[in-house]
Amino acid sequence: MPVAKVNGIETEFEPGMTVLQVAERAGHEIPRFCYHERLSIAGNCRMCLVEVKPGPPKPQASCALPAADGQEIFTDTPMVKKAREGVMEFLLINHPLDCPICDQGGECDLQDQAMGYGRDGSRYAENKRAVEEKHMGPTIKTFMTRCIQCTRCVRFITEVAGVPDIGMISRGEDAEITTYLEKAVDSELSGNVNDLCPVGALTHRPWQYHYRPWELKKTETIDVMDGLGSAIRIDAKGAEVMRALPRVHEGINEEWLSDASRYAVDGLKHRRLDRPWVRRDGRLVQATWDEALDAAASAIKAAAADRIGVIAGDLQDAESMKAALDLFRALGSPHTDCRQDGSALGHGPREGWLFNSGIAGIEQADAVLLIGTNPRLEAPILNARLRKGWLAGTTQIALIGERVDLTYDYDLIGHTSRILSRVPKAAIDALATAQRPAIVVGAGAVSGANGPAALNLIGKLAAKAGVIRDGWNGFNVLHHAAARVGGLDLGFIPADGGLSATDMVKTGALDVLFLLGADEIDASASKAFKIYLGSHGDRGAHGADVILPGAAFTEKSGLYVNTEGRVQMAERAVFPKGEAKEDWAILRALSERVGQTLPYDSLTQLREKLIAAHPTFGQLDWKPVPAAFDPAKLGRAGDLEDVPFRSQVRDPYLANPLGRASPTMAELSARRVGGRLALAAE
């Protein structure tokens, strides 16, 4: 490996690294504003100046200077110190004195580096430049007078998000960052530009003036707004969740986060269920816990076991599903299901419902076939990884489904399910000849009456194209529901003779229907006695006869399994609202009243039972190594109707109760016109 000297100490580095990277590898901090390791190099801010020999006798920008064998790098000479002070002085010439009111105050790179590398005063007395504010949409609040033209936002929106809506216009002192034609930023990842902004020019509009960073209690947890399980940090002020920020997790979300995951947290304080309710004389009235549990228990005990069913929702943790499964199996009910969309998944080997190549591993795929999915809506972070491979020219992408804007080019093979029985030879050959082919199956392809037959044909296509081979498993199922893989791993599907979720809600199918946070299925036709356990007054609660208030994902500790089979722990950031309780505890109390007391009295005991029955839940944050299996045996052979393939997520902002309760999500959804954001009216 080549060797360079950093302040006199020899340091080995990998070919292709920059001087900045070599200096930081040697343990020397280099200040910067424009440089970001996940974006292209711009060299705008000049804050990263160092002295390099051999080279001209002047400071050089280390972010854009390739390191070379035998180089001598100096990061703390008088020349470097004076140069950095000069650069900081220039950056502050026009920067307003907004720190006392700026949302970035307390976590601002400009503040920190001005203290560490700047002068103790300014020699400029001229009037400061002012810049007109821009409207970039509901997620981005602009104060462009504070902008230092680092162009991080421009590069992220163009390179990662794939929506070139932000750019720089004019030159010199008139240069400014703006959106084209006063258009709101059309991206599901727009909130990341606020994180990237090193000053207070771009801040989070939904959280404006709500907090100071030092007032917040920080809890590291995971996101449940989609099936990826992105690493996040929940910041709370007292009993209220104020914001969600991404944490670095190279295997899942890198350091990005979708807007739905980031801004839906304001729905935690709206439309909440904070006390029990019981329907009397056709009206829901407030009740005590004893009254609500007694009413639910009476209905369950009065019904025959084969007339009782339970449906688990998309945001449920594994512990609550385990408790519900244990209870209703003990009652003798075979009617259990976690698949509100009527998916055909859940039978056969575990690899049949996992994203086997891994979220990070999809970047290694050189041929990808998307079937019945729109990853831009269902998993924006995964879509950014697909775009990364496409940009690098290493990934060829094809689609079976509706034509949509995925932010990258792809070959459209067909629109409907009928194409599965006659996939063009060229498409099969593209997969078969690739070194690492991948098929990504969405819920839109394997749900409904066509689901089993479509899954069978997709499995046969995967086998024919050889997407599973030594050292590579390219059969991938993309789940949008955070609870889906955990439910399938638990076996939360109908037992022998049991009804599916879509059959349970039919008229006359059951006498008692227990909705465990199930809000994405229409149960209005069912005449059964409905018991709803959940955190929000959403669809499931509207027609319920008994409402049991549960905890939201930020108010309990729970296990989730993401779409690639990685078990993750969500931690409690705040306590449940009002009289609400944790879901498993409610089910434990209900079990006593129906005469089938569950064999655990604490969350620890429940987890011990869970891990004993399903050992995979004990392997936290470990991506499973997929075993080889025969995908041709998935599903069930049968006639296939010709129906359009389309993503089941039509609006990513209103895809669950939390999103539907969020004012920010409502605003984002309202701006969508034909799948795109409307032009800003302001």
Side-chain angles (χ1 to χ4, degrees):
M1 293 179 69
V3 177
K5 284 187 177 180
V6 182
N7 294 335
I9 306 298
E10 290 189 348
T11 302
E12 291 185 342
F13 63 91
E14 298 175 7
M17 295 182 76
T18 63
V19 169
L20 184 149
Q21 291 171 316
V22 173
E24 297 218 325
R25 171 172 279 200
H28 297 277
E29 182 186 37
I30 304 295
R32 86 290 296 269
F33 293 112
C34 67
Y35 175 79
H36 192 279
E37 56 270 17
R38 301 188 197 276
L39 304 176
S40 61
I41 295 172
N44 292 341
C45 71
R46 320 306 288 180
M47 194 64 204
C48 63
L49 295 174
V50 296
E51 188 177 351
V52 178
K53 295 181 181 179
K58 64 177 183 179
Q60 299 188 65
S62 60
C63 70
L65 183 64
D69 189 28
Q71 249 178 358
E72 293 186 68
I73 304 167
F74 302 94
T75 67
D76 55 4
T77 62
M79 177 194 293
V80 170
K81 184 175 184 295
K82 183 178 180 181
R84 290 176 180 169
E85 288 178 350
V87 169
M88 179 60 70
E89 192 172 11
F90 277 118
L91 289 174
L92 294 176
I93 287 175
N94 287 310
H95 199 79
L97 300 177
D98 281 351
C99 296
I101 63 163
C102 179
D103 274 343
Q104 198 83 348
E107 48 190 10
C108 174
D109 291 349
L110 188 63
Q111 281 183 332
D112 297 340
Q113 293 185 38
M115 288 292 294
Y117 303 98
R119 292 169 53 91
D120 58 0
S122 174
R123 293 172 287 183
Y124 288 85
E126 289 79 9
N127 292 329
K128 292 182 179 291
R129 179 185 78 149
V131 181
E132 184 180 352
E133 303 308 322
K134 319 299 178 197
H135 185 85
M136 296 189 180
T139 64
I140 306 171
K141 175 62 179 176
T142 63
F143 294 90
M144 301 313 293
T145 300
R146 303 170 185 166
C147 180
I148 62 171
Q149 284 89 43
C150 71
T151 69
R152 279 187 178 185
C153 55
V154 177
R155 285 174 284 150
F156 173 84
I157 285 293
T158 303
E159 299 165 9
V160 179
V163 182
D165 286 342
I166 302 178
M168 177 181 283
I169 61 173
S170 301
R171 303 177 66 182
E173 190 180 46
D174 295 327
E176 58 182 271
I177 303 292
T178 184
T179 56
Y180 304 116
L181 304 177
E182 291 296 315
K183 179 180 179 296
V185 177
D186 177 13
S187 174
E188 294 75 22
L189 299 169
S190 65
N192 291 287
V193 301
N194 303 325
D195 289 343
L196 287 171
C197 185
V199 296
L202 304 180
T203 58
H204 300 279
R205 182 184 288 271
W207 310 330
Q208 185 184 11
Y209 304 143
H210 279 53
Y211 58 82
R212 280 300 195 181
W214 53 84
E215 298 175 321
L216 304 177
K217 173 191 171 187
K218 303 169 178 62
T219 305
E220 294 187 351
T221 183
I222 57 117
D223 168 54
V224 300
M225 295 298 288
D226 59 32
L228 299 190
S230 299
I232 63 172
R233 191 187 81 199
I234 293 292
D235 290 357
K237 182 179 179 181
E240 183 178 345
V241 171
M242 302 303 298
R243 64 181 184 179
L245 297 176
R247 291 186 291 122
V248 176
H249 194 305
E250 298 295 345
I252 302 178
N253 59 307
E254 298 179 297
E255 61 182 85
W256 315 127
L257 195 60
S258 69
D259 289 348
S261 300
R262 184 188 299 269
Y263 296 115
V265 292
D266 61 355
L268 291 167
K269 57 187 178 183
H270 297 283
R271 299 172 63 180
R272 289 302 304 272
L273 298 175
D274 58 358
R275 66 194 64 183
W277 296 77
V278 174
R279 190 176 297 276
R280 293 174 181 155
D281 299 324
R283 296 182 59 188
L284 284 170
V285 297
Q286 297 180 22
T288 64
W289 268 109
D290 283 334
E291 291 172 340
L293 290 172
D294 286 342
S298 297
I300 291 173
K301 288 191 290 186
D306 63 352
R307 301 287 296 175
I308 302 172
V310 56
I311 302 174
D314 292 347
L315 302 183
Q316 292 304 123
D317 56 286
E319 291 88 345
S320 65
M321 288 190 287
K322 167 67 172 170
L325 195 62
D326 287 351
L327 173 57
F328 286 89
R329 285 287 189 264
L331 290 169
S333 171
H335 312 305
T336 56
D337 205 352
C338 65
R339 304 165 302 177
Q340 298 181 85
D341 55 7
S343 170
L345 299 168
H347 303 281
R350 187 177 189 236
E351 288 74 18
W353 61 75
L354 295 185
F355 201 93
N356 292 293
S357 67
I359 296 167
I362 199 66
E363 293 183 21
Q364 302 173 18
D366 47 359
V368 178
L369 174 60
L370 307 173
I371 304 178
T373 182
N374 181 344
R376 183 176 177 186
L377 299 185
E378 298 175 31
I381 301 298
L382 178 73
N383 197 61
R385 289 189 181 270
L386 288 169
R387 174 178 166 78
K388 190 189 302 184
W390 172 79
L391 270 181
T394 59
T395 304
Q396 180 182 356
I397 303 173
L399 171 68
I400 297 178
E402 60 182 340
R403 184 180 292 278
V404 291
D405 180 8
L406 295 178
T407 72
Y408 45 78
D409 296 333
Y410 57 85
D411 297 322
L412 184 64
I413 296 176
H415 299 276
T416 66
S417 57
R418 189 63 57 83
I419 195 68
L420 291 177
S421 58
R422 55 174 189 273
V423 177
K425 184 177 183 298
I428 299 176
D429 290 343
L431 291 171
T433 57
Q435 292 186 347
R436 288 178 295 276
I439 291 178
V440 178
V441 183
V446 295
S447 299
N450 253 2
L455 179 60
N456 184 256
L457 288 177
I458 293 171
K460 289 179 178 178
L461 171 62
K464 186 176 182 179
V467 300
I468 301 174
R469 53 187 72 171
D470 290 342
W472 176 257
N473 188 331
F475 184 85
N476 301 305
V477 177
L478 178 58
H479 295 279
H480 180 263
R484 185 61 51 82
V485 175
L488 297 178
D489 286 350
L490 285 168
F492 208 111
I493 57 177
D496 292 340
L499 299 176
S500 68
T502 51
D503 288 333
M504 283 189 234
V505 297
K506 293 179 179 178
T507 304
L510 298 173
D511 292 336
V512 175
L513 180 60
F514 193 99
L515 299 174
L516 181 61
D519 293 282
E520 311 311 316
I521 189 168
D522 184 6
S524 59
S526 174
K527 304 303 180 184
F529 186 92
K530 300 184 189 72
I531 305 167
Y532 178 78
L533 192 165
S535 59
H536 284 75
D538 202 70
R539 298 168 181 168
H542 288 173
D545 296 288
V546 174
I547 297 176
L548 307 174
F553 81 102
T554 55
E555 300 162 2
K556 59 186 175 182
S557 176
L559 294 174
Y560 292 84
V561 188
N562 78 347
T563 192
E564 62 183 354
R566 189 190 300 263
V567 179
Q568 300 172 289
M569 178 82 76
E571 298 290 355
R572 183 174 63 193
V574 294
F575 288 94
K577 304 301 180 191
E579 298 179 32
K581 310 291 182 185
E582 294 183 27
D583 299 3
W584 77 268
I586 298 171
L587 290 162
R588 171 63 175 78
L590 179 62
S591 70
E592 286 187 7
R593 285 173 164 79
V594 297
Q596 295 289 347
T597 304
L598 293 173
Y600 26 79
D601 299 322
S602 67
L603 185 59
T604 301
Q605 293 177 358
L606 170 53
R607 283 187 180 150
E608 289 174 353
K609 295 281 187 182
L610 172 63
I611 294 171
H614 306 278
T616 55
F617 284 93
Q619 300 168 329
L620 285 180
D621 202 33
W622 178 76
K623 182 199 170 298
V625 178
F629 74 105
D630 184 4
K633 296 181 180 179
L634 294 174
R636 186 178 63 251
D639 294 333
L640 194 66
E641 296 182 13
D642 193 23
V643 297
F645 271 167
R646 53 187 294 184
S647 171
Q648 289 207 332
V649 178
R650 308 311 299 170
D651 190 337
Y653 305 119
L654 305 180
N656 56 50
L658 184 58
R660 290 189 286 271
S662 164
T664 304
M665 294 297 99
E667 187 173 0
L668 283 169
S669 177
R671 287 175 177 269
R672 294 184 64 85
V673 177
R676 299 186 64 82
L677 294 178
L679 291 178
E682 288 81 359

